Amino acid sequence: MKHFLVLLLVVSVPSLTAGMVEYGLHGGLLLPMGDAGDFYGTSFLLGGQILAHMPMFAVEGSVSYGFLQPEEDIEDFSASLIPVLAGLRTYSGPIFYGGGAGLYMASAEYTVGTTTYEASDEEFGIYGNAGMIFPAGTMDLEGSLKYHLVDFDTDKAWVSLTVGTYF
């Protein structure tokens, strides 16, 4: 049900703002904070984004895939974090700031000896962001810094630094 509601929200944005919507891709780094930093190291993040412009603000949405890396070397380790975000942003010239809510889906699998461990979790959270838009011909480039507070617990926080483009 959670997945359906988030998908419905993201899909409905273009129909509400026909003609003022930009789609794009982003990539960057995902930095763990708090308890997550005890186990995970800096990881890569890739995803897609949508931006619907309104007169005073913009509605933003994104889906990303974080390739989580352990702090220590672990054989046969595979983990991911998938943040599905929706929020609002406002502009002051090329600089923007805002925030919103997200569904964060995490999973991990690793093997120690002959035993395989698996775990997965879904939690809601909020995020705040700031960044800058750089016009580049027919596209816009965007640099963004987001602070993700997962499940409203300061021990479950992430920071993402991304660079993306809108078409």
Side-chain angles (χ1 to χ4, degrees), residues 1-166:
M1 185 63 167
K2 291 181 198 177
H3 299 294
F4 176 73
L5 292 174
V6 171
L7 183 62
L8 184 63
L9 176 66
V10 171
V11 171
S12 67
V13 169
S15 65
L16 298 173
T17 60
M20 301 176 286
V21 177
E22 292 180 286
Y23 300 92
L25 301 171
H26 64 265
L29 298 175
L30 189 59
L31 308 154
M33 307 302 246
D35 286 346
D38 294 341
F39 187 76
Y40 295 109
T42 301
S43 305
F44 293 105
L45 181 73
L46 297 172
Q49 55 201 21
I50 185 172
L51 186 62
H53 297 280
M54 306 290 182
M56 298 295 290
F57 60 91
V59 177
E60 64 181 2
S62 69
V63 176
S64 304
Y65 186 90
F67 302 89
L68 298 180
Q69 300 298 316
E71 189 68 31
E72 298 177 12
D73 190 27
I74 298 174
E75 270 187 58
D76 297 326
F77 181 84
S78 175
S80 64
L81 177 66
I82 302 173
V84 180
L85 308 175
L88 299 174
R89 69 166 66 163
T90 188
Y91 293 90
S92 177
I95 297 173
F96 66 86
Y97 52 92
L103 174 64
Y104 296 85
M105 298 172 281
S107 66
E109 180 179 328
Y110 60 96
T111 303
V112 176
T114 59
T115 306
T116 299
Y117 298 95
E118 295 181 32
S120 63
D121 193 14
E122 293 180 359
E123 296 187 19
F124 283 104
I126 58 175
Y127 72 93
N129 68 342
M132 190 169 203
I133 298 280
F134 304 96
T138 60
M139 295 189 287
D140 289 333
L141 299 177
E142 173 184 292
S144 178
L145 170 72
K146 288 187 175 108
Y147 180 77
H148 307 265
L149 192 58
V150 181
D151 196 24
F152 310 105
D153 185 350
T154 56
D155 288 342
K156 294 181 181 178
W158 298 82
V159 172
S160 62
L161 301 165
T162 59
V163 175
T165 184
Y166 287 100

